[in-house]
Amino acid sequence: MNLSDELIKQLEQGMYGYNPVVYDLMGKVSQSLTVVGVGLAVFFFWFDFEVQARAFEEAGTTPDAMSYSKLAMKYVMTIIVIMNSGMILNFILWIAIQIIKWETSIIGSAKIDTNFESASGIWGKIISMFAGISSIIAQMIIKVLILLRFIQMYLFRGIAPVILAFFAQKDLRGNAIQFLKRFGGYAFQGAVIILTIAILAALQKSLIIKVDSTGTWLDSFKGVTQGIVQSVVTIVAILGTQKISKDFLER
């Protein structure tokens, strides 16, 4: 597994570059849900207006025009955010892509060697088969994770106008903030994947998991065993990139 040009190109693409058809489809969904988001914002404005008017009435004071204007401005800004939800998400992803490009310019080509020496005999062939399968799985995991990453971001693009309408409501604002944080986690997962591969490749060169010779017939399985362990470590580390990237922003 290595940071091939194809892999880097996928990680450096925005949602449109990865799949224009799905991007446009989610754009249409987002556009239709913008009406719902604006409707929610108007409903929240009416609710807050009533609460504020009742507070003035119960206090026996004259309604404060400044308070009403601040309330209206807050919802005007919320509607602007709703109508530009796609642009906001694309900007977050653009920042993540710039970090990815900066990383690749420094790291260059990092390669995790999952090759191994085949062992002889029936048991050797069986273990070699498992080692080969684990190596294939390790190489496929990263491609699947990139696919899942983009699927999540496309979903977020589609429903963004509705969730971002919660920004104006004090009790619901945390949901909108969490929504943006989670999208940011998926966006920055690409940077974490590149760093993870670079770290694994560097650790492998330092022979961290090298097995010493036992001086027995088991040495014939040494190369295969190291190949399996290397593949398992790679799978676990790559799968953990999603949690790591989300934890950075969701605290």
Side-chain angles (χ1 to χ4, degrees), residues 45-64 67-68 71:
F45 172 74
W46 171 81
F47 180 80
D48 281 352
F49 183 87
E50 289 291 324
V51 170
Q52 199 168 67
R54 190 178 306 165
F56 280 122
E57 184 179 348
E58 292 176 353
T61 57
T62 304
D64 187 356
S67 297
Y68 284 138
L71 180 65

Side-chain angles (χ1 to χ4, degrees), residues 3 17 33 41 167 172:
L3 287 177
L33 290 181
F167 257 119
L172 300 174

Side-chain angles (χ1 to χ4, degrees), residues 233-248:
V233 170
T234 302
I235 292 171
V236 173
I238 295 298
L239 287 176
T241 59
Q242 189 175 66
K243 184 178 186 303
I244 292 172
S245 59
K246 288 195 297 182
D247 286 347
F248 282 153

Side-chain angles (χ1 to χ4, degrees), residues 58-93:
E58 292 176 353
T61 57
T62 304
D64 187 356
M66 182 61 70
S67 297
Y68 284 138
S69 63
K70 288 181 178 179
L71 180 65
M73 183 58 64
K74 180 175 69 172
Y75 280 96
V76 168
M77 294 303 297
T78 300
I79 291 175
I80 292 175
V81 168
I82 293 170
M83 297 182 70
N84 292 278
S85 61
M87 187 181 299
I88 293 172
L89 298 185
N90 282 335
F91 179 70
I92 295 174
L93 182 56

